Amino acid sequence: MNCPSSATLSPSDQLQMNVIEKLQVFKIQGRDKHGRKVLRIIGKYFPARSVSNEALNKYLKEKIFPKLEEKPFSIVYVHTDVQRSENFPGISTLRSIYEAIPMNIKESLEAVYFVHPGLQARLFLATFGRLLFTGGLYSKVNYVTRLEFLWDQVRRNEMEIPEFVSDHDEELDYHPMMDYGIESDHPKVYGAPPAMSVYSMRCIA
């Protein structure tokens, strides 16, 4: 008797793939300023609590990776309004996703633009980034604190950004201290607020 293949999806997994497709969590859209295709990922749309690792990996393998055509590409990951209890898939899932990415796709990825990184996200990457993402991926991450700095890297007229992302950008303009936390532990940070010196803090006090 033949055992069913581990790659075979259950009706539930197929339904989950349909949900990912409908929500447009992952979408190849436009190009960056270097002419590379862009894979746009909207973190808030990801149904982390209702999608299995198997369904997610199968979706990426069938719907996304073939469109990248083994050519250089970049990722725009929008972290705006991501909540750990709703949209964050967890460390084990992130590791599973990364390990399931074909080597040729990993090698073709040249930059990751991480839009609206919060303090917790920066701490997470600073702590686990090098452990989770081997092969130099972590060094390709660029924090982007404002959309205006994203447009310095990506062709604006070729990419759709949800309205709530622009709204958050405006909120940051009115509450700039929301940006403060820690600096990136590698130099590629677009739009990062300047670090305050001890002297400047004393002046404020």
Side-chain angles (χ1 to χ4, degrees):
M1 181 176 179
N2 294 329
C3 295
S5 169
S6 60
T8 302
L9 290 178
S10 66
S12 175
D13 286 335
Q14 186 60 56
L15 178 61
Q16 293 170 36
M17 289 178 62
N18 293 340
V19 170
I20 296 173
E21 178 75 17
K22 183 177 181 180
L23 293 175
Q24 295 190 330
V25 181
F26 305 91
K27 187 173 184 179
I28 296 175
Q29 186 178 70
R31 295 181 181 273
D32 63 17
K33 294 295 181 69
H34 298 280
R36 301 173 296 209
K37 283 186 176 181
V38 175
L39 170 57
R40 188 203 68 178
I41 304 174
I42 306 297
K44 183 179 179 178
Y45 291 167
F46 183 63
R49 297 295 171 259
S50 58
V51 172
S52 68
N53 292 358
E54 292 77 12
L56 176 57
N57 289 335
K58 186 70 171 177
Y59 175 82
L60 293 173
K61 181 179 180 180
E62 291 186 358
K63 303 292 186 179
I64 300 299
F65 296 155
K67 296 179 181 179
L68 296 174
E69 300 176 341
E70 300 185 20
K71 295 180 180 179
F73 73 100
S74 60
I75 289 176
V76 169
Y77 169 67
V78 181
H79 190 66
T80 317
D81 288 351
V82 169
Q83 302 295 326
R84 184 174 182 179
S85 61
E86 298 178 9
N87 322 109
F88 182 68
I91 295 176
S92 61
T93 298
L94 288 175
R95 182 71 177 181
S96 173
I97 294 171
Y98 183 69
E99 290 180 346
I101 299 175
M103 183 56 65
N104 61 321
I105 299 296
K106 291 179 182 178
E107 293 176 348
S108 297
L109 175 59
E110 296 189 347
V112 178
Y113 301 108
F114 195 121
V115 180
H116 291 157
L119 174 59
Q120 290 185 346
R122 292 192 184 195
L123 286 172
F124 174 82
L125 286 177
T127 305
F128 299 105
R130 291 184 178 87
L131 298 176
L132 284 174
F133 308 121
T134 57
L137 174 61
Y138 179 70
S139 64
K140 299 175 183 179
V141 175
N142 304 279
Y143 294 139
V144 183
T145 61
R146 294 289 195 282
L147 287 176
E148 64 179 292
F149 302 111
L150 177 64
W151 305 137
D152 289 339
Q153 310 300 321
V154 177
R155 299 175 185 177
R156 182 174 186 174
N157 62 342
E158 296 183 8
M159 176 165 292
E160 297 176 5
I161 293 294
E163 186 175 353
F164 72 86
V165 181
S166 299
D167 291 343
H168 183 73
D169 220 53
E170 293 181 5
E171 186 177 355
L172 289 175
D173 288 336
Y174 286 104
H175 302 89
M177 289 301 291
M178 292 175 66
D179 272 341
Y180 285 87
I182 62 171
E183 294 299 318
S184 170
D185 56 351
H186 58 85
K188 298 179 181 178
V189 182
Y190 299 103
M196 285 189 177
S197 66
V198 175
Y199 176 78
S200 63
M201 291 297 288
R202 287 174 178 170
C203 289
I204 293 174

